[in-house]
Amino acid sequence: MLTFIGLGLFDAQDISLKGLRAVQSADLVYLEFYTSYLMGTTIEEMETLYGKPIIRLMREDVEQNPDWLENAKNQNIVFLTGGDTMASTTHVDLRIRAKDMGIETKLIHGASITSAVFGLSGLQNYRFGKSVSIPFPYTSSRGNRVVTETPYDTIKFNQENGLHTLVFLDIHNEHGYMTVREGLSLLLEVEEKRQEGVMKNRIAVGIARAGSDDVSVIADFAENLDSFELGNPLQILIIPGNLHFIEAEALVKLAGAPDSLLSDFSD
């Protein structure tokens, strides 16, 4: 048996009671922290709270050589992830591999940032379009700095359909955790290059440390980069599309957006 368990948003205590019981009854407990990370805890703290040793897997152990799956043929194995257990395509692929090997699988879900952002921002979940990730710039074979324009294109497409865009920010071994301010700066860099108005006079919403007692939610115009000093990671970005009055009011009252955001709704 292979049980996938989502750990929730921030620390070791976010695991569900059902998930905790499954961990405590497992023969082996594996964990991956490269698709997401619980910033409010350590593996040592998790081991103490859960009462089980935890084996941390690297990316190649999950995506390329998941030899550890063999253990699930005759043992009770748990696989832990941050957020919800099936939020990443990598985890879906792993479950399919297990099924192909004749291994029974089970899911125990956890809170996910993809749902937490709705409550934190006040934006309505059915008004979101396709999400996208902003990677750190990279150096081409010719030595040029390259900023990907895919996030800009996704935001543009969603805007054309009146939809909000959830923008995930890169986690990189070398560069660390991308901030909302860095992500916005890259989008504005593409705007400067293409001059298509996607980010011009556009409200952005930055969220940091969702699930913690120190959560921060800030809304302001994207050009006002200094407003988005949100502190410690993890951070995530939303670029709203067309706003309903309740959404605009929520951004003003809950996230500190400029009062002018409500002017479009005044009589």
Side-chain angles (χ1 to χ4, degrees):
M1 166 70 82
L2 174 60
T3 302
F4 294 84
I5 301 177
L7 294 173
L9 293 172
F10 187 71
D11 60 31
Q13 299 183 61
D14 283 346
I15 192 172
S16 66
L17 288 176
K18 185 183 292 185
L20 180 59
R21 293 189 186 106
V23 169
Q24 292 173 339
S25 64
D27 296 312
L28 292 170
V29 179
Y30 294 96
L31 163 76
E32 72 85 354
F33 260 173
Y34 69 87
T35 58
S36 185
Y37 195 89
L38 300 186
M39 299 304 298
T41 192
T42 64
I43 293 178
E44 291 74 23
E45 289 176 350
M46 293 167 64
E47 289 177 326
T48 299
L49 180 61
Y50 302 163
K52 282 283 185 176
I54 295 174
I55 304 167
R56 183 172 182 177
L57 300 171
M58 298 295 105
R59 181 185 291 268
E60 57 270 19
D61 299 321
V62 177
E63 297 183 356
Q64 299 172 24
N65 303 303
D67 299 332
W68 54 273
L69 278 177
E70 289 288 338
N71 296 321
K73 289 183 175 180
N74 49 37
Q75 291 181 286
N76 185 13
I77 304 301
V78 157
F79 179 77
L80 304 175
T81 65
D84 185 53
T85 186
M86 287 290 127
S88 170
T89 304
T90 294
H91 304 149
V92 177
D93 178 68
L94 194 61
R95 189 184 184 200
I96 292 172
R97 291 194 192 205
K99 285 285 189 178
D100 289 342
M101 295 169 65
I103 297 169
E104 184 181 355
T105 63
K106 179 181 178 180
L107 306 181
I108 300 178
H109 296 282
S112 171
I113 188 61
T114 56
S115 57
V117 293
F118 307 140
L120 289 170
S121 67
L123 298 175
Q124 298 164 357
N125 62 347
Y126 64 89
R127 295 170 64 84
F128 277 74
K130 180 182 177 181
S131 59
V132 71
S133 298
I134 299 181
F136 283 104
Y138 65 93
T139 303
S140 70
S141 58
R142 296 183 177 182
N144 298 320
R145 177 177 173 273
V146 179
V147 175
T148 180
E149 299 182 14
T150 299
Y152 185 93
D153 290 328
T154 300
I155 294 167
K156 178 182 178 181
F157 175 83
N158 285 339
Q159 283 183 8
E160 290 170 346
N161 291 278
L163 301 173
H164 312 320
T165 308
L166 181 61
V167 184
F168 295 95
L169 304 172
D170 201 2
I171 299 175
H172 192 279
N173 289 337
E174 180 181 348
H175 301 295
Y177 304 97
M178 182 180 289
T179 65
V180 164
R181 186 178 181 183
E182 289 173 321
L184 283 173
S185 179
L186 292 170
L187 290 171
L188 292 170
E189 186 174 336
V190 178
E191 177 68 65
E192 181 68 22
K193 173 185 175 182
R194 291 176 42 173
Q195 295 291 313
E196 295 179 20
V198 170
M199 298 300 298
K200 186 177 181 179
N201 299 321
R202 179 63 55 178
I203 285 288
V205 184
I207 298 174
R209 300 173 301 283
S212 76
D213 293 333
D214 186 35
V215 62
S216 181
V217 184
I218 297 293
D220 201 347
F221 291 102
E223 294 92 341
N224 297 335
L225 291 179
D226 288 345
S227 296
F228 296 97
E229 290 290 356
L230 296 172
N232 293 328
L234 294 174
Q235 300 185 17
I236 196 164
L237 172 65
I238 304 171
I239 306 298
N242 295 342
L243 292 170
H244 182 277
F245 169 72
I246 296 298
E247 293 180 305
E249 186 176 26
L251 290 181
V252 170
K253 295 182 178 179
L254 303 179
D259 291 339
S260 60
L261 200 63
L262 297 174
S263 61
D264 291 339
F265 303 96
S266 59
D267 294 329

